[in-house]
Amino acid sequence: AATKLARASAKTIVGGIMKIIADESNAMTIEDAARAAIDGDRDALETLVRALQADIYGLALRMLWNQEDAEDATQDILVRVVTHLSQFTFQSQLKTWVYRIAVNYILDTRKSAIEKLRLSFDRFGEDLVAGLKDDSATESDQLILIEEVKVGCSLAMLQCLDRPHRMVYILGELLDLSGPEAADILNISPDLFRKRLQIARQAVVTFLKDHCGLVSDVAPCRCHRRIAPSGEGDAGITHP
């Protein structure tokens, strides 16, 4: 039961990095927009880009952590999507095709400064404990800063996974893609995808159970205790 709770909490915590509110006023599907864009409809092309931008950015941010790197990657990926849109055959879901382009781009991108730190779960856990402040500030007084801590912690935790396991975890656990679809995007076998996802899930769940107060009452870390006394937010690893 504890493991199920930890896994559910992991998905909620990490998946809550950013909440995207979709524009429901436009009933056009992305496939409809893509067909119209291929036929030369510029408005449809703009609609398509807007519909895809948030998902691509979410993937890039979770993989790269740094906001500027994620924004740059998003723009480059969108350019590739638009440039090669006429090659899409509509034999699969458009978003699957877009994710494949995004994944290939991100995995080919040189490691960021954050990735070069080679952050591990052990090192991150030590940083969390070392960065705890006196339990004097109440959570209700610093809700905004606490949310920033949660975001930073979530992104840092993903960085503790190597690129292959991080990408698998994002696609399978956070984006809820099916095993066959995610395996196809990554160009690996479904069996290998399942194995990597199991390893990544276990690593995240174990870390949360050992360290995160949102998951375990006996874990040492509490979000409001990661806020510096000056009110400037988390000054540890979770603050890129």
Side-chain angles (χ1 to χ4, degrees):
T3 298
K4 289 183 179 179
L5 174 61
R7 180 181 165 188
S9 299
K11 187 170 182 177
T12 300
I13 294 168
V14 184
I17 291 173
M18 51 189 287
K19 179 177 177 65
I20 304 300
I21 301 176
D23 179 9
E24 298 178 354
S25 62
N26 195 332
M28 177 181 286
T29 68
I30 57 174
E31 281 77 12
D32 291 337
R35 288 188 175 92
I38 291 173
D39 290 338
D41 187 332
R42 295 185 63 85
D43 290 338
L45 181 60
E46 292 180 4
T47 297
L48 178 63
V49 169
R50 287 197 302 270
L52 297 174
Q53 188 169 7
D55 287 331
I56 295 174
Y57 177 74
L59 175 63
L61 181 63
R62 291 174 172 116
M63 277 298 295
L64 304 176
W65 187 357
N66 182 272
Q67 183 176 347
E68 292 182 0
D69 290 342
E71 290 173 349
D72 290 342
T74 298
Q75 294 305 312
D76 290 343
I77 292 167
L78 285 171
V79 169
R80 292 192 179 191
V81 169
V82 171
T83 302
H84 297 91
L85 186 59
S86 61
Q87 299 175 15
F88 180 60
T89 62
F90 294 93
Q91 294 180 353
S92 63
Q93 292 187 1
L94 178 64
K95 190 166 288 188
T96 300
W97 178 76
V98 171
Y99 276 142
R100 186 178 299 117
I101 293 175
V103 165
N104 289 336
Y105 176 90
I106 292 171
L107 292 179
D108 286 342
T109 301
R110 66 181 181 180
K111 290 186 177 181
S112 65
I114 297 297
E115 288 181 291
K116 290 178 181 178
L117 293 176
R118 296 183 179 180
L119 184 62
S120 67
F121 283 107
D122 288 340
R123 181 184 172 191
F124 183 31
E126 292 171 358
D127 176 81
L128 286 178
V129 174
L132 293 178
K133 310 302 178 185
D134 291 336
D135 194 5
S136 57
T138 62
E139 295 192 30
S140 59
D141 291 337
Q142 304 185 59
L143 292 179
I144 295 178
L145 291 177
I146 288 171
E147 289 306 310
E148 291 180 357
V149 169
K150 289 180 181 178
V151 170
C153 186
S154 300
L155 293 174
M157 187 165 52
L158 287 173
Q159 292 298 316
C160 295
L161 298 168
D162 61 26
R163 277 191 170 189
H165 289 90
R166 193 186 323 151
M167 185 63 81
V168 161
Y169 186 84
I170 292 170
L171 294 178
E173 190 75 359
L174 304 184
L175 299 183
D176 278 328
L177 299 185
S178 68
E181 182 181 9
D184 182 49
I185 290 172
L186 293 168
N187 196 28
I188 60 178
S189 70
D191 284 344
L192 180 56
F193 174 81
R194 285 193 296 271
K195 290 178 182 177
R196 288 182 178 176
L197 181 56
Q198 182 179 8
I199 291 172
R201 280 173 174 166
Q202 186 58 50
V204 171
V205 166
T206 298
F207 178 82
L208 288 174
K209 289 168 67 176
D210 289 344
H211 296 280
C212 182
L214 296 176
V215 174
S216 171
D217 291 337
V218 299
C221 190
R222 296 294 186 275
C223 297
H224 64 285
R225 293 187 63 195
R226 290 287 299 179
I227 299 175
S230 61
E232 296 176 354
D234 192 339
I237 288 177
T238 61
H239 192 271

